[in-house]
Amino acid sequence: MPTPRNVIQAAAMAVALVGLSGATTAVAAPLRPLVAARAAAVVASLQAPPLPAYEARVCGVPAPRTAACHAVQLLDPSRTWHPGPAGHGPGHGGGGGGTPTLPTSGYYPGDLESAYGLASAAANMSPGPSAPTIAIVDAYDDPHAASDLAAYRSSLSAETDPTTGLSDPPIPPVCSTAGQTGCVTFTKVNQSGGTSYPRGNTGWAEEISLDLDMVSAICPGCNIVLVEASSSSFSDLAQAETEAKSFHPAAVTNSYGGNEFSSESSDNSVYQSSAGTAITVASGDGGYGVEYPAAAPGVTAVGGTSLRYSGGSLGWAPQTVWSGAGSGCSAYEAMPSWQADSGVYSEPGVCAGRQVADVAAVADPQTGVATYDTYNESGWLVFGGTSVSTQIIGGVYGLAAAAGSLHASPAALYIDAGSTSTGSTPGLVPVSSGSNASCGDYLCDAAASLSSGYNGPTGLGTPDGTGAFEGSSTTAGSLSFSPSGLAVTAGTASNPVTVQLSASAPTPGLAVTLTASTGGVFTTGTVSRSTTVTVGSGATASQPFFFEDATPGSATVTASASGWTSATL
């Protein structure tokens, strides 16, 4: 019988607090006996197996309140890369810039576009100043980022992978000056938007090269912004995230994460998608277990698969769970309304928190991707990790934006939320085999997937075109607040507020997610940075809620519901 998820949540919370404070005294008194009895067993069950000898994590284990990048290098790929019936030898190259010799290991852009049904969408977009932008957030500096990016794009443009026989698309070059057409703009800034970059770091430079190359592979016409945080601390990364969003990109991609912590929700407003910007976050490379910011309710959390080419008319084999993909039930974030459908996206008694992941793509280093990096490296390398899948999904959001119909919220992927339907999401292919642990349920095992195809390691599945990421030209209606604004005394609950609908709520009612900016909490029920209010079937107003601004200053409350235009208070 599976361990009740609330027990795991309590133990995970205790472990996080122990890691931060060195003692369990911070754990609420009612939980201490439970923690004492179960923490050791649960922690043991959550430990990921060590990597094989031929794989290496690019970044080390993060300290508390810091993140690690989620790239995994495949060592000696001539022996250990397994794309399908044939294999490659080791790749070589170097020097930085120019057009290096072709890689002999790792998937090419054309392979990835073929596997995920994206070739047509990529071919139909035009590069230039008006093309969508993808903003990438990483820590530290890659001094060779621009030259290595140009080398990747030039060497693989319109090439053919000798293993699969699949052709790459033409990849536009990087523009030499601003305002050009037929090329893409690459911009690199620090976390404050300036050009005084942080110190270089070999591991994070590998991550940066991987991120730039995967966005180029999936959305070759997208402009790219790289924002380099001063360090891997969550505070610096959050500042970099805010800077990245200021470019109004189609997506901000985040190939990093760290242990959950009790105050993580204070950053949720930073990691919050908006009408025109999706936020993608890696689920982690340690197997079963949840990280932050993947647990943030406003992001698309991206898990990982193994991707193998069958060859000939068979094309790509059905994808399976990559055993290193992060997944599970958040210890601190409440379950969003769009994951709450019993039997469709969740099960009673299994999880009461935010479930990770939402979608997935290739992340297995043994079926990894070719990347070009010359900062303390020789050139062509092969990588896996959920860094790969996170950038792939970010690129898919870019393609959807190019088609003029981006739907950035993760809620849009959960099409059956609030209904009795049990089908999979159109445009996503559920993954039905493989696991990342022995937890006894769908949060780690694809064989136990729910009726929608949902499971933890791969979410709702992998892309088949851009359809699942495109928004409808029409909405069910719009949300608003009554009153439309509040003046409150810091530390005192507001007068009652309701969410208003421009049209009647559908049957069996509409769940509206409320999220507060930093310093604000809801005092309806439990005190939390996010909560859910319900609009009954046929009604146009929600139950009342109460808001409290814990610190002086302006605060923002956002109301969102799948298929409805969001509102801000």
Side-chain angles (χ1 to χ4, degrees), residues 122-132 153 170-175 179-185 219-223 402:
N124 287 336
M125 71 176 296
S126 299
S130 61
R153 297 176 72 97
I171 302 177
V174 177
C175 299
Q180 290 179 294
T181 59
C183 56
V184 302
T185 300
C219 193
C222 281
N223 298 311

Side-chain angles (χ1 to χ4, degrees), residues 2 51 74 86 93 131 144 182 184 257 268 358 360 365 367 421 430 483 489 492 501 505 515 517-518 521 542:
L51 290 176
L74 185 68
H144 294 188
V184 302
N268 282 355
D358 298 313
T367 64
S421 175
T489 300
T492 302
L501 275 59
T515 305
S517 62
T518 302
V521 295
S542 74

Side-chain angles (χ1 to χ4, degrees), residues 375-443:
Y375 181 61
N376 297 326
E377 296 292 350
S378 61
W380 290 112
L381 305 169
V382 174
F383 288 105
T386 50
S387 290
V388 177
S389 55
T390 296
Q391 302 303 323
I392 289 175
I393 298 302
V396 176
Y397 276 117
L399 294 176
S405 56
L406 171 66
H407 205 155
S409 170
L413 301 169
Y414 293 77
I415 61 167
D416 295 331
S419 75
T420 58
S421 175
T422 59
S424 59
T425 300
L428 294 176
V429 179
V431 175
S432 59
S433 64
S435 67
N436 62 5
S438 298
C439 68
D441 57 52
Y442 65 92
L443 288 179

